[in-house]
Amino acid sequence: MGARSTAVEELDLDPFSPEFLADPYPGHEEMREAGPVVRLPRYDVWATARYAEVRSVLGDPETYCSSAGVGLSDFTREKPWRPPSLLLEADPPEHTEARDVITTVLSPKNVRALRDAFQAEAEAMIDRLLQRPDIDGVSDLGAAFPLKVFPDAVGLPAGGRENLLPYGKMVFNGFGPRNEFFDRAMAGGEQVRDWIMAHCERDALAADGLGAQIHEVAAENGFTEQERGMLVRSFLSAGVDTTVHALGNALWVLAQHPEQWAEMRAEPTKKAVAAFEETVRFESPVQTFFRTTTADAELGGVAIPAGEKVLTFLGAANRDPRQWDDPDRFDLNRRAHGHVGFGSGTHTCVGQMVARLEGEVLLSSMADRVESIELTGEPERQLNNTLRGLDTLPLRLHPA
Ligand code: 8QM
């Protein structure tokens, strides 16, 4: 051990076990308190659950690269289950070129143009649900809303959208080890993949949607036809399950904090924005990402050799008491700014303004129309190697 590097604790935790995924917070605390960096020998990886170190890793893509994959699998040694994403699983300078295309397509003007359609759909959906106030907060609302407005915005046809969530399960379980969640998500996934790939093509997408715009801007920037489709694939991979989980988590947390629901009703737009942001901090839909060291590195005083996987716990950083006051309290009045639920640095979520728009519109429309939301049973958690969220959320909506 070098004189300047600190000893590292080895922990026997399995962050991809059903027990850990069902309630990750005790494990997060154990890792944060064990040191700035720990070893998880079960997977032969390094890990950090502290805010400062997570930010350091995500802020240094030269040392902590993405092109070897942002899951457990090291693409330099193992063939990935699908061709790597040009965005997520890439480094500068290639990453920068791909990202510039998406940044152009998701310009503030383009995102603003989505609002009216999102708003109309949210209002219609909630009014329909208020006819029969016992609902499932996930399938009837938290999933139904993004599954309608996002594919509409992209320009996907109405038929076949049932492939989107299964594909997302493949993507997000695919970042983990080859465990039961991985195998279940991938089983019979060939048809799902075929549908997704077919609908990344220019001709499968409506002329006035974001998908067509990706093709157009990517073509102008010299991307091949196949690469243009791959950029649409990123939208379909990253844009659905994430928001489905965020909205389900928001409804779940707000159902448990009726006083904060009441606050949201008093100032719907402002507090809906805040509630969504605090949800992404407090119950981060994307819990983890890996990076791979490109050279000998030093993190929090710990020496990490080149070619090693480093697991960053976004959801743990977002509850690090070194960064947050009373981190385990959901509080829509806190300054949640600076959370890493959308990542941080070069790869920070490029779709976050679309996600926030969905959150703001759905929650503020709810606040306008619903006096309170009552939990009428036990929610069922969806266990996923990367995502945190619910499968079901039994709710009764009390109309305003
Ligand atoms: C996670 O395929 C992709 O480009 C992609 C897939 C998943 C994500 C991001 C990008 C972070 C939401």
Side-chain angles (χ1 to χ4, degrees):
M1 163 121 21
R4 303 176 39 205
S5 61
T6 321
V8 177
E9 276 211 47
E10 297 205 335
L11 299 179
D12 188 36
L13 287 173
D14 179 357
F16 304 104
S17 67
E19 299 72 30
F20 188 100
L21 294 171
D23 180 13
Y25 300 119
H28 288 172
E29 184 176 8
E30 192 182 337
M31 286 186 283
R32 280 191 308 255
E33 297 314 310
V37 177
V38 299
R39 285 272 309 159
L40 301 177
R42 192 182 285 262
Y43 295 111
D44 193 23
V45 300
W46 307 74
T48 179
R50 289 193 189 171
Y51 181 85
E53 281 72 23
V54 167
R55 288 285 301 246
S56 298
V57 170
L58 299 181
D60 183 1
E62 270 189 49
T63 309
Y64 303 96
C65 79
S66 292
S67 54
V70 298
L72 176 62
S73 170
D74 182 341
F75 292 178
T76 66
R77 301 180 207 197
E78 263 187 299
K79 186 174 182 282
W81 70 272
R82 61 171 194 166
S85 163
L86 303 180
L87 276 172
L88 181 75
E89 293 151 336
D91 294 315
E94 294 82 5
H95 168 264
T96 316
E97 287 184 31
R99 184 168 174 116
D100 286 348
V101 172
I102 307 297
T103 307
T104 302
V105 172
L106 294 180
S107 68
K109 179 166 168 271
N110 276 357
V111 174
R112 232 177 293 128
L114 301 173
R115 177 181 287 270
D116 289 349
F118 284 21
Q119 185 74 42
E121 188 54 48
E123 292 177 2
M125 194 171 273
I126 295 162
D127 288 341
R128 265 195 319 270
L129 292 176
L130 284 169
Q131 307 297 312
R132 49 160 185 115
D134 283 296
I135 69 158
D136 180 63
V138 175
S139 61
D140 294 330
L141 200 53
F145 179 65
L147 277 171
K148 170 77 176 125
V149 298
F150 184 73
D152 281 357
V154 172
L156 290 171
R161 293 179 179 188
E162 68 279 2
N163 287 294
L164 290 166
L165 286 181
Y167 188 67
K169 281 190 186 175
M170 295 165 75
V171 169
F172 288 96
N173 282 304
F175 296 128
R178 300 203 166 218
N179 59 11
E180 58 184 299
F181 305 113
F182 185 109
D183 290 338
R184 220 178 295 143
M186 298 293 177
E190 205 55 49
Q191 283 180 347
V192 171
R193 255 164 89 170
D194 288 349
W195 186 89
I196 294 289
M197 293 318 294
H199 289 81
C200 292
E201 306 271 338
R202 174 68 187 83
D203 290 346
L205 298 160
D208 59 350
L210 297 173
Q213 285 194 52
I214 292 177
H215 275 275
E216 195 180 313
V217 176
E220 286 165 12
N221 285 269
F223 284 82
T224 66
E225 190 137 350
Q226 197 202 342
E227 289 167 336
R228 297 171 215 161
M230 287 286 285
L231 293 174
V232 176
R233 196 194 71 177
S234 283
F235 257 52
L236 305 187
S237 302
V240 183
D241 299 58
T242 46
T243 49
V244 165
H245 281 73
L247 292 170
N249 290 350
L251 293 171
W252 178 56
V253 174
L254 287 164
Q256 294 169 89
H257 293 89
E259 77 293 348
Q260 298 194 44
W261 186 272
E263 268 193 69
M264 201 170 75
R265 279 188 41 73
E267 265 180 297
T269 298
K270 181 172 161 217
K271 300 267 160 125
V273 168
F276 187 75
E277 210 61 34
E278 173 67 345
T279 299
V280 178
R281 180 196 73 83
F282 183 75
E283 288 285 2
S284 306
V286 177
Q287 286 277 302
T288 47
F289 269 125
F290 288 87
R291 293 290 189 263
T292 308
T293 53
T294 59
D296 291 351
E298 184 259 284
L299 182 62
V302 173
I304 305 179
E308 298 276 311
K309 282 280 174 179
V310 180
L311 178 51
T312 61
F313 283 87
L314 310 178
N318 285 338
R319 289 175 175 236
D320 184 350
R322 292 159 193 79
Q323 178 68 19
W324 309 95
D325 292 331
D326 205 0
D328 296 324
R329 182 180 142 67
F330 178 84
D331 177 5
L332 54 69
N333 291 311
R334 87 160 65 231
R335 235 182 109 63
H337 180 84
H339 73 71
V340 291
F342 288 116
S344 147
T346 321
H347 286 270
T348 309
C349 179
V350 72
Q352 60 184 283
M353 293 316 291
V354 181
R356 287 200 180 100
L357 184 65
E358 290 178 34
E360 178 200 325
V361 164
L362 188 73
L363 294 176
S364 65
S365 305
M366 291 277 289
D368 279 333
R369 288 167 173 71
V370 184
E371 175 70 37
S372 63
I373 59 175
E374 180 191 347
L375 213 50
T376 51
E378 265 305 299
E380 291 171 295
R381 188 155 282 294
Q382 180 181 129
L383 301 185
N384 180 297
N385 281 331
T386 304
L387 297 174
R388 180 163 174 79
L390 302 173
D391 262 338
T392 65
L393 176 64
L395 284 183
R396 182 167 305 149
L397 306 183
H398 296 278

